[in-house]
Amino acid sequence: MSLNTILGAIELGLLFSIMSFGIYITFKVLDFPDLTVDGSFTAGAVTSAVLSIAGHPYLAILAGTLVSCFAGMVTGFLHTKMKVNYILAGILTMTGLYSINLKIAGGTPNLSLFNVSTIFTEFHELLTSIGLPSQVLERSNLILLLLIVIACMLVLNLFFKTQMGLALRATGNNEEMVRASSINTDAMKITGLALANAFVGLCAAIYTQHQTFYDISQGIGMMVVALTSIIIGETVFGKRTVLNSLVSIVLGAMIYRLLLSFALAQGMDPNDWKLLCASLVAIVISIPTIKLFIEKRRKRARRYGGK
Amino acid sequence: MLELKDISITFNENTVNEKKALQHISLTVNDGDFITIIGSNGAGKSTLLNCISGSYEIDEGQIILNGKHMEYMKEYNRAKKIGRLFQDPLKGTAPDMSIEENLELAYRRGNEQNSLYHRFFKIGLTKAERKLMKEKVSLLGLDLESRFASKVGLLSGGQRQALTLMMATINTPDLLLLDEHTAALDPKTAKQVMEITDQLIKDEKITTIMITHNIAQALHYGNRLIMMNEGKILYEFSNEEKAKLTIEDVMKLYQQKSHNDFSDSMLLD
Ligand SMILES: Nc1ncnc2c1ncn2[C@@H]1O[C@H](COP(=O)(O)OP(=O)(O)O)[C@@H](O)[C@H]1O
Ligand SMILES: [Mg+2]
């Protein structure tokens, strides 16, 4: 792999770690497998695309974030207040979003952001104007993403230490205890889903500007991608503290992209990649059960063996 | 003061599984009272506490805590005034969070300084607050204060139950509800946790209702004793009456009234 491929993979890894932060909040912190994300990713992307084309690159990012955030709230409302099963609540929101996304795009399934000003072009101009050398300018996208990801990490790490953050973590950890300590767990779940999907939307809004392209199918399978990279990150780099988890997530997302680039460079069919990821997630999640099974087998062998 | 006026609750009404779990219970708990409740399995003891705390909504009657009606108050709102412990020592704490984080969560609960600032921007405990927490926790005598950053999941059942007790009382609650909170611990730890509980209740003068299946415990602790059966209060003893009671008296009384054998569900030690 060339240096360019590696740096490109790292750049995408940084970008998608923003999404992983969101998935981390729902899947890991809240213990709420949220299926809204495939839809809310696309919602963030299309909102960003439309507003970028209209000439508002910053507003595009903000609006993309908020639209997804709202989608998360809808799922939270359906689950906590209307008592819809959480899987179904996510699927309902995701399905509804499909029509909304089409409407936002004005009925077309894809949009091009060619020659449109984005946060990346703006940042590049900024760096140019302060007269940085071309080797740096070449990497302006990478630098901007690095700054954004570091900012997200700092904010999240602090957030998880506030009352709200502690209550959110406790809700996923021991809901009954949280209710007994006078915290409204329904409100916590809705907040968590809103926050998680805000990160998903932020990632999608940036992604569209980065790719200078929007497509209605952009969100499909995104959740598994994020989950895979979280699992890689936590397995390799640990999850002792919140900060440790956040760093692991970023590194995991990078490794994921590097592995993908490597596999493609080796001539792997890109369509096989998803199967590989899904299998990996399934296997890692099954490990505790498999361990238990092996242990039982061993015990039985010890008891009846040797006869 | 807690007033229960004629409260009733029926589960699975109009089905074959209909269960009148509480039938017209009336009870006044004065400030500083420490009431112990005994009764066989299924007597409705846990249901009574669940109704007070808001886990269950009562069908009839009134629940008034310090002059405030609570029948329609949400569970998490009642929790501002009510501390609870359950039999399962794992229920009261968040295992993946540190001792300090668990305590912090409990400390801010019901603490009136619950402004937006405190909720979203206040990070961690101040030095003074941490010192206060450590002092309080050191009262437990379990050396938890030196392990403030450890995850609670690493603690033993007894340690977790003691920590839960600390969390439930760190802001002195108007009412403390204990549902067989030492029953799942080994005898030695159970005794230790019960002693700590009694000391805390005395020191802070916390109004308390405690369910126990250990008659000796029920006679030894508290200033009032209640005996329940089939959703009703069978007997009530004042402090003086309770002081004269023996385990045998309790068994006899119970058998007369309920035609039930007590010993299968009760511990006599
Ligand atoms: N949520 C519930 N749904 C249906 N029945 C219940 C429920 N909670 C308690 N009961 C029934 O009410 C009766 C009293 O239970 P409980 O209060 O737990 O008894 P105990 O005195 O042993 O604590 C039992 O018959 C129990 O099966
Ligand atoms: Mg019970």
Side-chain angles (χ1 to χ4, degrees):
Chain A
M1 281 195 297
S2 67
L3 180 68
N4 259 337
T5 328
I6 293 176
L7 285 176
I10 289 180
E11 193 172 313
L12 274 183
L14 281 170
L15 209 172
F16 279 104
S17 61
I18 302 172
M19 163 123 184
S20 295
F21 291 149
I23 303 296
Y24 169 74
I25 294 171
T26 40
F27 275 69
K28 294 285 177 170
V29 177
L30 261 188
D31 198 15
F32 186 113
D34 171 31
L35 299 188
T36 318
V37 287
D38 282 10
S40 68
F41 185 92
T42 316
V46 69
T47 310
S48 165
V50 168
L51 283 170
S52 300
I53 291 168
H56 305 289
Y58 298 110
L59 187 65
I61 303 290
L62 180 69
T65 307
L66 290 180
V67 167
S68 300
C69 173
F70 184 70
M73 283 173 161
V74 172
T75 301
F77 175 80
L78 286 176
H79 173 63
T80 59
K81 302 295 177 196
M82 298 296 125
K83 310 290 177 212
V84 180
N85 167 292
Y86 59 94
I87 298 282
L88 185 60
I91 290 177
L92 287 177
T93 313
M94 180 181 78
T95 308
L97 278 172
Y98 188 86
S99 309
I100 295 177
N101 292 339
L102 264 177
K103 280 231 165 61
I104 296 176
T108 61
N110 45 51
L111 295 165
S112 164
L113 276 68
F114 186 66
N115 262 342
V116 164
S117 99
T118 66
I119 56 169
F120 294 102
T121 60
E122 298 272 312
F123 188 68
H124 190 88
E125 265 171 44
L126 177 78
L127 292 192
T128 314
S129 70
I130 54 175
L132 290 174
S134 66
Q135 293 100 306
V136 177
L137 291 178
E138 232 174 88
R139 300 289 163 216
S140 70
N141 286 6
L142 185 69
I143 298 168
L144 178 60
L145 285 169
L146 190 63
L147 292 176
I148 295 174
V149 167
I150 290 175
C152 288
M153 263 167 64
L154 290 179
V155 168
L156 264 180
N157 188 44
L158 287 180
F159 170 76
F160 279 122
K161 294 196 164 109
T162 63
Q163 259 310 276
M164 207 61 178
L166 285 181
L168 200 68
R169 287 165 62 197
T171 303
N173 208 205
N174 187 348
E175 182 171 347
E176 207 164 345
M177 161 229 177
V178 173
R179 235 181 294 122
S181 41
S182 77
I183 292 163
N184 183 344
T185 51
D186 286 356
M188 290 322 303
K189 282 185 190 167
I190 297 175
T191 309
L193 282 163
L195 187 66
N197 280 284
F199 275 100
V200 172
L202 176 64
C203 175
I206 297 174
Y207 177 67
T208 301
Q209 292 194 349
H210 186 264
Q211 301 291 301
T212 63
F213 184 76
Y214 157 76
D215 187 279
I216 189 132
S217 62
Q218 256 168 355
I220 294 176
M222 278 302 171
M223 191 197 71
V224 176
V225 171
L227 209 52
T228 312
S229 38
I230 292 175
I231 286 174
I232 294 174
E234 287 191 337
T235 311
V236 180
F237 302 102
K239 49 176 180 180
R240 266 177 307 107
T241 60
V242 171
L243 187 61
N244 184 183
S245 287
L246 294 176
V247 172
S248 296
I249 285 168
V250 177
L251 297 177
M254 289 180 185
I255 293 181
Y256 173 91
R257 290 290 150 185
L258 285 169
L259 287 176
L260 178 58
S261 302
F262 180 74
L264 295 181
Q266 297 303 308
M268 181 183 187
D269 181 352
N271 292 318
D272 292 344
W273 181 253
K274 287 211 162 134
L275 178 64
L276 206 64
C277 288
S279 310
L280 179 77
V281 172
I283 290 170
V284 171
I285 291 178
S286 328
I287 282 177
T289 319
I290 296 171
K291 268 192 190 153
L292 219 69
F293 179 75
I294 294 175
E295 222 163 82
K296 257 192 199 159
R297 267 295 169 86
R298 246 192 232 141
K299 251 189 210 156
R300 201 188 308 166
R302 229 178 288 140
R303 196 177 301 160
Y304 299 111
K307 278 192 183 170
Chain B
M1 192 168 77
L2 173 74
E3 294 161 89
L4 305 179
K5 293 186 179 166
D6 209 18
I7 64 172
S8 300
I9 184 167
T10 305
F11 293 112
N12 308 315
E13 201 161 7
N14 301 327
T15 71
V16 282
N17 291 325
E18 182 172 287
K19 177 82 205 172
K20 292 194 162 97
L22 293 180
Q23 304 182 47
H24 306 286
I25 298 255
S26 290
L27 178 70
T28 301
V29 185
N30 297 309
D31 287 343
D33 269 356
F34 178 0
I35 299 183
T36 52
I37 301 184
I38 51 174
S40 57
N41 279 333
K45 307 179 297 293
S46 298
T47 304
L48 180 66
L49 296 203
N50 282 326
C51 287
I52 297 172
S53 68
S55 302
Y56 297 158
E57 230 174 75
I58 53 174
D59 298 331
E60 274 174 68
Q62 297 178 332
I63 302 173
I64 306 164
L65 181 63
N66 293 335
K68 218 166 157 185
H69 277 269
M70 301 213 301
E71 299 87 48
Y72 297 107
M73 218 190 254
K74 285 250 161 58
E75 183 179 10
Y76 66 85
N77 276 329
R78 298 191 206 185
K80 283 176 191 153
K81 308 281 180 202
I82 300 176
R84 299 185 77 181
L85 262 76
F86 303 94
Q87 181 173 345
D88 182 352
L90 308 186
K91 263 191 179 177
T93 43
D96 292 339
M97 292 165 67
S98 68
I99 296 181
E100 175 168 336
E101 285 167 338
N102 270 277
L103 280 166
E104 186 184 343
L105 206 59
Y107 177 64
R108 303 250 184 260
R109 149 196 106 103
N111 215 330
E112 285 319 317
Q113 28 156 266
N114 231 333
S115 63
L116 276 183
Y117 163 76
H118 275 96
R119 265 191 260 168
F120 287 98
F121 299 106
K122 178 88 178 50
I123 287 162
L125 295 167
T126 62
K127 262 192 189 145
E129 284 170 341
R130 187 172 298 118
K131 195 161 160 259
L132 178 83
M133 299 284 149
K134 288 202 171 177
E135 272 170 24
K136 288 222 169 192
V137 170
S138 70
L139 295 179
L140 296 174
L142 298 171
D143 195 35
L144 293 182
E145 60 277 13
S146 63
R147 309 172 58 183
F148 249 37
S150 312
K151 286 192 176 171
V152 168
L154 300 173
L155 303 180
S156 71
Q159 287 171 325
R160 278 182 78 165
Q161 200 63 314
L163 180 64
T164 311
L165 181 69
M166 192 44 72
M167 288 166 63
T169 55
I170 202 149
N171 300 303
T172 312
D174 290 354
L175 183 66
L176 181 62
L177 304 177
L178 308 171
D179 191 346
E180 306 197 21
H181 73 300
T182 63
L185 308 176
D186 66 83
K188 188 164 157 270
T189 316
K191 194 151 196 278
Q192 197 181 4
V193 171
M194 191 55 233
E195 279 302 320
I196 295 168
T197 309
D198 192 46
Q199 198 56 49
L200 252 170
I201 290 171
K202 279 183 186 144
D203 289 348
E204 309 281 336
K205 300 185 179 58
I206 304 170
T207 312
T208 305
I209 305 178
M210 176 174 85
I211 298 174
T212 173
H213 62 221
N214 182 325
I215 303 177
Q217 206 177 46
L219 290 175
H220 185 264
Y221 295 100
N223 68 336
R224 286 168 69 185
L225 172 67
I226 284 174
M227 234 160 125
M228 281 183 73
N229 189 45
E230 291 176 355
K232 291 182 190 143
I233 294 180
L234 210 56
Y235 285 110
E236 230 199 292
F237 301 100
S238 68
N239 206 9
E240 298 75 39
E241 293 165 332
K242 182 164 146 321
K244 289 186 215 121
L245 276 180
T246 63
I247 293 176
E248 290 71 37
D249 295 338
V250 174
M251 306 273 295
K252 230 179 265 161
L253 278 171
Y254 192 83
Q255 271 160 2
Q256 278 169 15
K257 260 271 167 66
S258 69
H259 317 289
N260 243 336
D261 193 10
F262 217 23
S263 50
D264 60 342
S265 59
M266 290 290 206
L267 291 181
L268 309 174
D269 59 328

